[in-house]
């Protein structure tokens, strides 16, 4: 039987709220066994860019990563946010190891090809992107890798990658050796039929459920890509995907996504 | 016989000059066997602080690290500079792993006690600060650790530590398992009897030589603490200390410091 591995992803909503972030870290520290944390960016980088007079460029709600933006998000995500999380985990006795994809070549990305939009220094991932051997070695050494959303192309270029994508790619790649539970943490208790009512949580969603919930419009907007990601991960061998509140990861109230 | 290990330290003079930094990285990549790189800060952090309206505080030529400064140097050293070096090393096939002391708890520092001056969030090191087991594991995995000058106290606080001190502490701690050569790289060919003449280089300095060169005033100023550091490292088991030009590490012209 494969050993269990928990891969958690947290995003801007938690990172931007310091008490929430500290509470998440405290709860994450209590998770036993091998675990990995992937964190996104948050608003801090954009705020600092404003201070420095660098205008953030967005197209269709996505950040265009030009050279100045890349330099700043690298500082912010790989420097500030990553070390902030690592040092807090260490204070709870979790031997966290903060990494970008460049560190130990743990993730190698490919710069997104320019089609209609030039996203700039954005890195796309494939299954082969993840250095599963080294991550396995880190886990064996009792380390808890903490990934920031900065990767590299192996030819000297850093690249910015969406943290959901990193979490899913790492989970998929490690599912050959581990029974992986992939946790997408956000500010709701899970997938809700009524977005304003935490009690309307759906405890479990299969691919068939998803099709009908999407059809009926009960699940919409930002939840759609999250669930698409979830099913994609399951199809590539991840055991289960959990969508849950970052401040209630130790609680039973959450949505578990499974193929059937 | 202990395996060889090369510990290199580069400072601001190289980091602030992009072509020099790239050339150093190219040469460092050619060094065979286990190796470690420790980098300092450089002027970039101070420049960014100026842009952001944070006034750098200096006392006796030393930076006072207040909370705002610590946040910024963490971003700069652990984010920008560290990942910049790591990604370049990866492009040369060196499996660099960028770390602060907090990552994997590789270095644990103690906040400098307040006496006449409160240096703020500055971390002092002792021999016990260095997690030699984990660094040894990293080296065994074929990784090249790249240390930035940010450490932690194990209780959730990041601390800024002088890079020379980190390099010397890492070299001393690892000298139990390795025959360590500690390389202090800067912008001169080594210890010179005439600071304006590279040909005046002293090929080898013993503790006795040092005493008389210091006495006669031939060695003065910034070279004194460098050599004090060097002899300290040798007294704690480091095999040799080399003082050399960062752009000529593959060259014979350099100063080797040894006890006798």
């Amino acid at each position: 039987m494969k050993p269990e591995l928990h891969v958690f992803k947290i995003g801007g909503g938690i990172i931007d709220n310091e008490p929430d972030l500290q509470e998440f870290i405290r709860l994450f520290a209590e998770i036993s066994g091998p675990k990995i944390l992937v964190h996104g960016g948050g608003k801090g980088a954009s705020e600092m860019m404003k201070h420095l007079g660098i205008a953030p460029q967005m197209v269709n709600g996505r950040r265009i990563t030009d050279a100045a933006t890349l330099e700043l998000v690298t500082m912010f995500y790989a420097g500030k946010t990553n070390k902030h999380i690592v040092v807090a985990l260490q204070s709870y006795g979790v031997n966290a190891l903060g990494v970008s994809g460049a560190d130990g070549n743990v993730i190698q990305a490919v710069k997104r090809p320019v089609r209609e939009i030039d996203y700039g220094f954005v890195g796309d991932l494939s299954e082969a992107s993840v250095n599963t051997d080294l991550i396995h070695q880190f886990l064996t050494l009792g380390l808890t890798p903490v990934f920031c959303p900065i990767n590299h192309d192996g030819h000297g270029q850093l690249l910015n990658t969406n943290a959901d994508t990193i979490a899913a790619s790492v989970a998929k790649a490690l599912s050959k050796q581990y029974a992986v539970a992939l946790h997408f943490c956000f500010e709701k208790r899970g997938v809700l039929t009524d977005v304003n009512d935490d009690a309307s949580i759906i405890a479990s969603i299969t691919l068939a459920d998803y099709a009908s919930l999407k059809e009926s419009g009960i699940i919409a907007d930002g939840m759609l890509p999250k669930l698409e990601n979830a099913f994609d991960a399951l199809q590539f061998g991840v055991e289960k995907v959990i969508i849950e509140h970052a401040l209630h990861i130790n609680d039973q109230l959450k949505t578990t996504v499974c193929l059937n």
Side-chain angles (χ1 to χ4, degrees), chain A:
Chain A
M1 220 172 72
K2 295 179 195 171
E4 270 192 25
L5 169 68
H6 292 277
V7 178
F8 282 81
K9 186 260 164 174
I10 54 168
I14 303 305
I15 291 165
D16 290 332
N17 182 317
E18 183 58 22
D20 283 2
L21 177 59
Q22 291 301 328
E23 174 64 3
F24 168 78
I25 287 169
R26 192 184 69 78
L27 295 170
F28 177 78
E30 289 176 1
I31 304 284
S32 59
K35 57 192 170 184
I36 287 173
L37 179 59
V38 180
H39 66 81
K43 290 188 195 128
S46 300
E47 279 163 21
M48 179 163 254
M49 285 173 70
K50 233 181 282 175
H51 275 295
L52 292 168
I54 305 167
Q57 296 181 53
M58 308 289 282
V59 172
N60 299 341
R62 302 198 77 142
R63 189 197 291 275
I64 300 296
T65 310
D66 59 9
T69 303
L70 180 71
E71 187 174 300
L72 205 119
V73 297
T74 300
M75 290 178 60
F76 219 90
Y77 303 161
K80 181 173 192 279
T81 310
N82 191 264
K83 298 317 159 205
H84 186 63
I85 293 171
V86 166
V87 80
L89 283 169
Q90 288 287 350
S91 76
Y92 286 109
V94 175
N95 202 1
L97 178 77
V99 288
S100 71
D103 298 298
N105 193 25
V106 283
I107 298 180
Q108 206 171 96
V110 172
K111 186 173 180 291
R112 184 170 300 167
V114 177
R115 294 206 182 90
E116 278 135 58
I117 300 172
D118 181 358
Y119 286 100
F121 297 107
V122 167
D124 288 330
L125 304 186
S126 68
E127 272 236 64
S129 296
V130 182
N131 187 340
T132 51
D133 283 353
L134 187 56
I135 298 172
H136 174 64
Q137 296 283 2
F138 287 158
L139 294 169
T140 304
L141 289 169
L143 296 165
T144 293
V146 178
F147 288 83
C148 70
I150 301 292
N151 294 316
H152 78 140
D153 69 355
H155 305 289
Q157 182 62 57
L158 290 166
L159 296 165
N160 190 193
T161 300
N162 175 278
D164 278 16
T165 305
I166 294 176
S169 298
V170 166
K172 288 192 280 185
L174 287 163
S175 66
K176 289 185 188 75
Q177 287 161 282
Y178 293 89
V180 180
L182 170 60
H183 301 249
F184 286 117
C185 302
F186 71 138
E187 300 89 61
K188 296 281 176 188
R189 283 304 193 97
V191 183
L192 308 174
T193 54
D194 173 358
V195 78
N196 297 311
D197 181 8
D198 269 355
S200 74
I201 191 168
I202 306 171
S204 144
I205 297 185
T206 64
L207 200 47
D209 297 337
Y210 175 59
S212 72
L213 286 161
K214 186 178 164 188
E215 174 81 22
S216 64
I218 290 170
I219 299 177
D221 304 325
M223 193 47 79
L224 295 177
K226 250 190 227 306
L227 283 168
E228 298 284 352
N229 261 339
F231 286 113
D232 174 66
L234 293 166
Q235 264 142 0
F236 278 91
V238 172
E239 196 116 321
K240 56 184 171 178
V241 179
I242 295 149
I243 300 180
E244 65 193 334
H245 198 299
L247 305 183
H248 299 281
I249 58 176
N250 56 343
D251 189 296
Q252 292 308 311
L253 206 59
K254 50 187 67 179
T255 298
T256 302
V257 189
C258 26
L259 285 182
N260 42 51

